[in-house]
Amino acid sequence: MMFFSTRDSEKKLYSASQVIKQGLADDGGLFVPDSIPSVTLEEIAELADRSYPEKAATILSKFLSDYTYDELLEDASAAYCESSFPDGAAPLKKIKDGTYSLELWRGPTAAFKDMALQIMPRLLSRALVKTGEQNTALILVATSGDTGKAALEGHKDVDKVKIMVFYPVDGVSKVQKLQMVTQMGNNVNVCAIKGNFDDAQTGVKKIFSDSVAKEKLLENGYVLSSANSINWGRLAPQIVYYFHAYCELLKTGEIALGDKINVCVPTGNFGNIFAAYLAKLMGLPIDKMVCASNSNNVLTDFISTGVYDRNRKFHLTMSPSMDILISSNLERLLYFTAGTEETRDCMKKLSESGRYEVSESVKAAIKENFIGYCADEDETAKALRACYNDNGYLADTHTSVALACADKYLADSKDDTKMVVVSTASPYKFAADVYKSITGKDAADGTGALDQLEALSGMEISYPLKDLDKRAVNFSTVVDADKMLDEVYKFM
Ligand SMILES: *Cc1c(COP(=O)(O)O)cnc(C)c1O
């Protein structure tokens, strides 16, 4: 299996390890596989008896053909191990008849990014060896909170990789800050900067385009790399849990082999739901994919009208990981439905005017698989409260956007196909908003909200968030945004 860029009409080919090492194509496009491997129903039935790491190795080996099955199994076993995922990698819980929650937040940072970031650094470490890279990869991340912590946990103590995370000193929640500054590992560094997230992001981008800095890093044995969500190495591991969810429904007798299921995915960058689409193309019996958005509903409009227009008000919501107006992975869907020329044309318009419109045939092809719904803040809180009161299921704010959208879809369609709602964060990660949605009352500041929510629900605080305020603080550096490079040099 080889890969090429969504924007390259020549289709220059790259191996999986090159793609994982490089991340983004030189022409600004995203890497896509040159064919879609298929999985038969018999294979799915066999997978049902396998462990999560075995499922992961099986699915990944179909895409990463320059990795052996044994290498992938070793990496998946280390990534989805008991100490990182004590409740299993992706438990499927029944919320009510016909509706299930796929919990992707049982990992070390209590959010779904762990599903990819626990294994991607291991794939990257191997990619460096496979591509003959002599240097150590230095990952630089600017974070508004969640990605930074998940990237730190995923890269800690991985060979040939070091990671440094910059966060805005007053721009992350108290819980997020505690999660980062208490990080352990011998190859990690965390630095606060005076400024906002944009300052941190701009600072990192500046280092990436600084040829003098790159030269100096290289002299010391480092090449810069990123843990960006558009890397194929982050997307591929996300395909696995859709197969896993189907297998779990088979094992518990909720469906029979070959029955179709629907999925409803709380969406931001379109990575998670695109992985469901790939699973469907491979042969997993998925019918509809419901794309759930919060008030930033650019995708809802796009799926129904074929017009993508980011020129709109940006809303700060209680599902911040979905506060996105440019969904990068959508480019991959465009490629699969529209081909290279139209994708390139749309992406050019997006960068020039923030708007593009796809052709009628592309619009129809997208609608065959996807349907978009959005939920505003009130609807989200209401769905969260109703799910808790009626079904005894405690969902976080992002998952609740999906719960609200799944309800809207059911009301409109009367579709009785089994629905898997993808749950992307622990309710404790957004404890104050969850608490307020249920009780109507403001929660205490900082970690106090976690205790209040635990007292209310009786559900144990997710292990990565427990006793956060009692852990040793390992990082306390705060610098001006223009001193970021100096900190990188010190770390090196
Ligand atoms: C990143 C994230 C999402 C959005 O996922 P995409 O793959 O970007 O669509 C949803 N919920 C949570 C909690 C997240 O961290």
Side-chain angles (χ1 to χ4, degrees), residues 1-30:
M1 167 102 31
M2 298 294 277
F3 297 78
F4 51 78
S5 162
T6 47
R7 300 185 195 178
D8 177 17
S9 32
E10 310 280 307
K11 302 204 185 324
K12 181 175 178 230
L13 296 175
Y14 295 79
S15 68
S17 50
Q18 284 171 314
V19 158
I20 289 171
K21 177 176 147 186
Q22 196 175 324
L24 192 69
D26 292 329
D27 58 10
L30 309 191

mmCIF file of all heavy atoms in Angstrom, residues 1-30:
data_model
loop_
_atom_site.group_PDB
_atom_site.id
_atom_site.type_symbol
_atom_site.label_atom_id
_atom_site.label_comp_id
_atom_site.label_asym_id
_atom_site.label_seq_id
_atom_site.Cartn_x
_atom_site.Cartn_y
_atom_site.Cartn_z
ATOM 1 N N MET A 1 0.840 -1.200 0.000
ATOM 2 C CA MET A 1 0.000 0.000 0.000
ATOM 3 C C MET A 1 0.877 1.252 0.000
ATOM 4 O O MET A 1 1.783 1.386 0.811
ATOM 5 C CB MET A 1 -0.904 -0.010 1.243
ATOM 6 C CG MET A 1 -1.591 1.291 1.518
ATOM 7 S SD MET A 1 -3.310 1.426 1.045
ATOM 8 C CE MET A 1 -3.958 -0.193 1.217
ATOM 9 N N MET A 2 0.586 2.143 -0.932
ATOM 10 C CA MET A 2 1.323 3.401 -0.981
ATOM 11 C C MET A 2 0.345 4.566 -0.803
ATOM 12 O O MET A 2 -0.875 4.373 -0.830
ATOM 13 C CB MET A 2 2.066 3.530 -2.318
ATOM 14 C CG MET A 2 3.105 2.438 -2.558
ATOM 15 S SD MET A 2 4.504 2.507 -1.414
ATOM 16 C CE MET A 2 5.530 3.751 -2.206
ATOM 17 N N PHE A 3 0.882 5.753 -0.627
ATOM 18 C CA PHE A 3 0.064 6.940 -0.353
ATOM 19 C C PHE A 3 0.454 8.078 -1.284
ATOM 20 O O PHE A 3 1.581 8.123 -1.770
ATOM 21 C CB PHE A 3 0.272 7.392 1.094
ATOM 22 C CG PHE A 3 -0.174 6.366 2.100
ATOM 23 C CD1 PHE A 3 0.619 5.264 2.390
ATOM 24 C CD2 PHE A 3 -1.395 6.486 2.756
ATOM 25 C CE1 PHE A 3 0.206 4.302 3.300
ATOM 26 C CE2 PHE A 3 -1.817 5.536 3.659
ATOM 27 C CZ PHE A 3 -1.014 4.444 3.931
ATOM 28 N N PHE A 4 -0.488 8.982 -1.536
ATOM 29 C CA PHE A 4 -0.140 10.194 -2.278
ATOM 30 C C PHE A 4 -0.947 11.366 -1.724
ATOM 31 O O PHE A 4 -1.849 11.181 -0.898
ATOM 32 C CB PHE A 4 -0.366 10.015 -3.788
ATOM 33 C CG PHE A 4 -1.724 9.502 -4.151
ATOM 34 C CD1 PHE A 4 -2.830 10.332 -4.147
ATOM 35 C CD2 PHE A 4 -1.898 8.160 -4.498
ATOM 36 C CE1 PHE A 4 -4.081 9.853 -4.473
ATOM 37 C CE2 PHE A 4 -3.160 7.672 -4.825
ATOM 38 C CZ PHE A 4 -4.252 8.515 -4.811
ATOM 39 N N SER A 5 -0.632 12.563 -2.208
ATOM 40 C CA SER A 5 -1.282 13.772 -1.698
ATOM 41 C C SER A 5 -2.634 13.996 -2.380
ATOM 42 O O SER A 5 -2.765 13.796 -3.587
ATOM 43 C CB SER A 5 -0.380 14.981 -1.939
ATOM 44 O OG SER A 5 -1.140 16.168 -1.829
ATOM 45 N N THR A 6 -3.615 14.466 -1.605
ATOM 46 C CA THR A 6 -4.933 14.804 -2.151
ATOM 47 C C THR A 6 -4.859 15.858 -3.256
ATOM 48 O O THR A 6 -5.802 16.012 -4.014
ATOM 49 C CB THR A 6 -5.824 15.391 -1.036
ATOM 50 O OG1 THR A 6 -5.072 16.371 -0.320
ATOM 51 C CG2 THR A 6 -6.316 14.316 -0.081
ATOM 52 N N ARG A 7 -3.753 16.616 -3.325
ATOM 53 C CA ARG A 7 -3.685 17.713 -4.301
ATOM 54 C C ARG A 7 -2.764 17.419 -5.481
ATOM 55 O O ARG A 7 -2.536 18.277 -6.327
ATOM 56 C CB ARG A 7 -3.212 19.005 -3.612
ATOM 57 C CG ARG A 7 -4.151 19.431 -2.508
ATOM 58 C CD ARG A 7 -3.762 20.769 -1.904
ATOM 59 N NE ARG A 7 -4.460 20.964 -0.635
ATOM 60 C CZ ARG A 7 -4.303 22.013 0.156
ATOM 61 N NH1 ARG A 7 -3.470 22.970 -0.197
ATOM 62 N NH2 ARG A 7 -4.969 22.103 1.285
ATOM 63 N N ASP A 8 -2.198 16.207 -5.540
ATOM 64 C CA ASP A 8 -1.181 15.908 -6.549
ATOM 65 C C ASP A 8 -1.764 15.079 -7.699
ATOM 66 O O ASP A 8 -2.040 13.891 -7.536
ATOM 67 C CB ASP A 8 -0.025 15.154 -5.876
ATOM 68 C CG ASP A 8 1.042 14.748 -6.867
ATOM 69 O OD1 ASP A 8 1.058 15.307 -7.988
ATOM 70 O OD2 ASP A 8 1.859 13.867 -6.530
ATOM 71 N N SER A 9 -1.933 15.707 -8.879
ATOM 72 C CA SER A 9 -2.512 14.951 -9.996
ATOM 73 C C SER A 9 -1.521 13.922 -10.564
ATOM 74 O O SER A 9 -1.909 12.972 -11.215
ATOM 75 C CB SER A 9 -3.023 15.881 -11.092
ATOM 76 O OG SER A 9 -2.240 17.032 -11.155
ATOM 77 N N GLU A 10 -0.220 14.093 -10.283
ATOM 78 C CA GLU A 10 0.773 13.103 -10.717
ATOM 79 C C GLU A 10 0.756 11.874 -9.816
ATOM 80 O O GLU A 10 1.294 10.836 -10.162
ATOM 81 C CB GLU A 10 2.186 13.701 -10.658
ATOM 82 C CG GLU A 10 2.345 15.047 -11.324
ATOM 83 C CD GLU A 10 2.477 14.915 -12.822
ATOM 84 O OE1 GLU A 10 3.342 14.140 -13.250
ATOM 85 O OE2 GLU A 10 1.693 15.561 -13.545
ATOM 86 N N LYS A 11 0.196 12.018 -8.642
ATOM 87 C CA LYS A 11 0.122 10.941 -7.655
ATOM 88 C C LYS A 11 1.493 10.321 -7.329
ATOM 89 O O LYS A 11 1.710 9.122 -7.440
ATOM 90 C CB LYS A 11 -0.837 9.844 -8.123
ATOM 91 C CG LYS A 11 -2.259 10.357 -8.382
ATOM 92 C CD LYS A 11 -3.254 9.243 -8.271
ATOM 93 C CE LYS A 11 -4.685 9.617 -8.626
ATOM 94 N NZ LYS A 11 -5.122 10.957 -8.260
ATOM 95 N N LYS A 12 2.422 11.174 -6.952
ATOM 96 C CA LYS A 12 3.735 10.681 -6.502
ATOM 97 C C LYS A 12 3.544 9.821 -5.259
ATOM 98 O O LYS A 12 2.848 10.229 -4.314
ATOM 99 C CB LYS A 12 4.639 11.874 -6.194
ATOM 100 C CG LYS A 12 6.007 11.473 -5.743
ATOM 101 C CD LYS A 12 6.955 12.660 -5.541
ATOM 102 C CE LYS A 12 8.284 12.134 -5.045
ATOM 103 N NZ LYS A 12 8.794 12.807 -3.873
ATOM 104 N N LEU A 13 4.166 8.626 -5.235
ATOM 105 C CA LEU A 13 3.877 7.661 -4.176
ATOM 106 C C LEU A 13 4.854 7.725 -3.001
ATOM 107 O O LEU A 13 6.054 7.950 -3.183
ATOM 108 C CB LEU A 13 3.882 6.240 -4.756
ATOM 109 C CG LEU A 13 2.795 5.966 -5.798
ATOM 110 C CD1 LEU A 13 2.977 4.577 -6.401
ATOM 111 C CD2 LEU A 13 1.404 6.112 -5.183
ATOM 112 N N TYR A 14 4.321 7.545 -1.813
ATOM 113 C CA TYR A 14 5.103 7.513 -0.574
ATOM 114 C C TYR A 14 4.733 6.254 0.208
ATOM 115 O O TYR A 14 3.581 5.822 0.172
ATOM 116 C CB TYR A 14 4.765 8.712 0.316
ATOM 117 C CG TYR A 14 5.143 10.056 -0.250
ATOM 118 C CD1 TYR A 14 4.344 10.673 -1.206
ATOM 119 C CD2 TYR A 14 6.289 10.715 0.182
ATOM 120 C CE1 TYR A 14 4.677 11.911 -1.728
ATOM 121 C CE2 TYR A 14 6.631 11.959 -0.328
ATOM 122 C CZ TYR A 14 5.827 12.554 -1.283
ATOM 123 O OH TYR A 14 6.162 13.771 -1.794
ATOM 124 N N SER A 15 5.708 5.721 0.958
ATOM 125 C CA SER A 15 5.400 4.573 1.822
ATOM 126 C C SER A 15 4.724 5.072 3.096
ATOM 127 O O SER A 15 4.778 6.258 3.426
ATOM 128 C CB SER A 15 6.692 3.841 2.190
ATOM 129 O OG SER A 15 7.473 4.666 3.032
ATOM 130 N N ALA A 16 4.107 4.152 3.825
ATOM 131 C CA ALA A 16 3.438 4.519 5.076
ATOM 132 C C ALA A 16 4.415 5.182 6.047
ATOM 133 O O ALA A 16 4.087 6.179 6.693
ATOM 134 C CB ALA A 16 2.799 3.280 5.707
ATOM 135 N N SER A 17 5.636 4.644 6.156
ATOM 136 C CA SER A 17 6.573 5.216 7.124
ATOM 137 C C SER A 17 7.003 6.626 6.715
ATOM 138 O O SER A 17 7.154 7.508 7.566
ATOM 139 C CB SER A 17 7.779 4.301 7.346
ATOM 140 O OG SER A 17 8.342 3.909 6.128
ATOM 141 N N GLN A 18 7.146 6.860 5.401
ATOM 142 C CA GLN A 18 7.462 8.230 4.952
ATOM 143 C C GLN A 18 6.335 9.189 5.305
ATOM 144 O O GLN A 18 6.558 10.314 5.750
ATOM 145 C CB GLN A 18 7.662 8.251 3.432
ATOM 146 C CG GLN A 18 8.991 7.687 2.981
ATOM 147 C CD GLN A 18 9.038 7.540 1.457
ATOM 148 O OE1 GLN A 18 8.100 7.038 0.835
ATOM 149 N NE2 GLN A 18 10.125 7.998 0.865
ATOM 150 N N VAL A 19 5.102 8.699 5.100
ATOM 151 C CA VAL A 19 3.916 9.511 5.337
ATOM 152 C C VAL A 19 3.774 9.862 6.826
ATOM 153 O O VAL A 19 3.452 10.990 7.193
ATOM 154 C CB VAL A 19 2.685 8.726 4.805
ATOM 155 C CG1 VAL A 19 1.414 9.180 5.447
ATOM 156 C CG2 VAL A 19 2.626 8.835 3.291
ATOM 157 N N ILE A 20 4.058 8.883 7.676
ATOM 158 C CA ILE A 20 3.938 9.117 9.120
ATOM 159 C C ILE A 20 5.041 10.064 9.594
ATOM 160 O O ILE A 20 4.820 10.952 10.417
ATOM 161 C CB ILE A 20 3.949 7.779 9.885
ATOM 162 C CG1 ILE A 20 2.628 7.056 9.617
ATOM 163 C CG2 ILE A 20 4.171 7.991 11.376
ATOM 164 C CD1 ILE A 20 2.567 5.641 10.118
ATOM 165 N N LYS A 21 6.243 9.910 9.033
ATOM 166 C CA LYS A 21 7.338 10.802 9.414
ATOM 167 C C LYS A 21 7.076 12.230 8.935
ATOM 168 O O LYS A 21 7.288 13.192 9.654
ATOM 169 C CB LYS A 21 8.646 10.268 8.810
ATOM 170 C CG LYS A 21 9.843 11.145 9.079
ATOM 171 C CD LYS A 21 11.091 10.496 8.529
ATOM 172 C CE LYS A 21 12.070 11.545 8.041
ATOM 173 N NZ LYS A 21 13.229 10.953 7.361
ATOM 174 N N GLN A 22 6.552 12.354 7.719
ATOM 175 C CA GLN A 22 6.392 13.684 7.115
ATOM 176 C C GLN A 22 5.121 14.415 7.566
ATOM 177 O O GLN A 22 5.102 15.639 7.654
ATOM 178 C CB GLN A 22 6.417 13.548 5.590
ATOM 179 C CG GLN A 22 6.640 14.876 4.894
ATOM 180 C CD GLN A 22 6.782 14.719 3.394
ATOM 181 O OE1 GLN A 22 7.352 13.742 2.909
ATOM 182 N NE2 GLN A 22 6.261 15.670 2.651
ATOM 183 N N GLY A 23 4.048 13.698 7.819
ATOM 184 C CA GLY A 23 2.801 14.324 8.286
ATOM 185 C C GLY A 23 1.983 14.925 7.166
ATOM 186 O O GLY A 23 0.990 14.359 6.728
ATOM 187 N N LEU A 24 2.410 16.103 6.711
ATOM 188 C CA LEU A 24 1.682 16.832 5.667
ATOM 189 C C LEU A 24 2.475 16.728 4.363
ATOM 190 O O LEU A 24 3.694 16.738 4.378
ATOM 191 C CB LEU A 24 1.580 18.300 6.103
ATOM 192 C CG LEU A 24 0.646 19.229 5.347
ATOM 193 C CD1 LEU A 24 -0.804 18.840 5.622
ATOM 194 C CD2 LEU A 24 0.885 20.676 5.781
ATOM 195 N N ALA A 25 1.761 16.622 3.210
ATOM 196 C CA ALA A 25 2.460 16.574 1.926
ATOM 197 C C ALA A 25 3.084 17.939 1.611
ATOM 198 O O ALA A 25 2.620 18.966 2.104
ATOM 199 C CB ALA A 25 1.501 16.163 0.817
ATOM 200 N N ASP A 26 4.135 17.943 0.767
ATOM 201 C CA ASP A 26 4.841 19.188 0.443
ATOM 202 C C ASP A 26 3.934 20.217 -0.221
ATOM 203 O O ASP A 26 4.151 21.418 -0.100
ATOM 204 C CB ASP A 26 6.026 18.899 -0.492
ATOM 205 C CG ASP A 26 7.101 18.101 0.225
ATOM 206 O OD1 ASP A 26 7.229 18.278 1.462
ATOM 207 O OD2 ASP A 26 7.801 17.306 -0.420
ATOM 208 N N ASP A 27 2.932 19.754 -0.965
ATOM 209 C CA ASP A 27 2.035 20.688 -1.659
ATOM 210 C C ASP A 27 0.894 21.175 -0.769
ATOM 211 O O ASP A 27 -0.046 21.816 -1.235
ATOM 212 C CB ASP A 27 1.481 20.048 -2.939
ATOM 213 C CG ASP A 27 0.721 18.754 -2.660
ATOM 214 O OD1 ASP A 27 0.473 18.457 -1.480
ATOM 215 O OD2 ASP A 27 0.366 18.049 -3.627
ATOM 216 N N GLY A 28 0.962 20.851 0.522
ATOM 217 C CA GLY A 28 -0.062 21.311 1.454
ATOM 218 C C GLY A 28 -1.248 20.360 1.544
ATOM 219 O O GLY A 28 -2.134 20.535 2.373
ATOM 220 N N GLY A 29 -1.261 19.332 0.686
ATOM 221 C CA GLY A 29 -2.355 18.362 0.712
ATOM 222 C C GLY A 29 -2.183 17.341 1.834
ATOM 223 O O GLY A 29 -1.188 17.348 2.552
ATOM 224 N N LEU A 30 -3.172 16.465 1.973
ATOM 225 C CA LEU A 30 -3.121 15.410 2.985
ATOM 226 C C LEU A 30 -2.846 14.074 2.294
ATOM 227 O O LEU A 30 -3.304 13.848 1.175
ATOM 228 C CB LEU A 30 -4.452 15.321 3.737
ATOM 229 C CG LEU A 30 -5.022 16.612 4.322
ATOM 230 C CD1 LEU A 30 -6.177 16.287 5.259
ATOM 231 C CD2 LEU A 30 -3.969 17.394 5.065
#
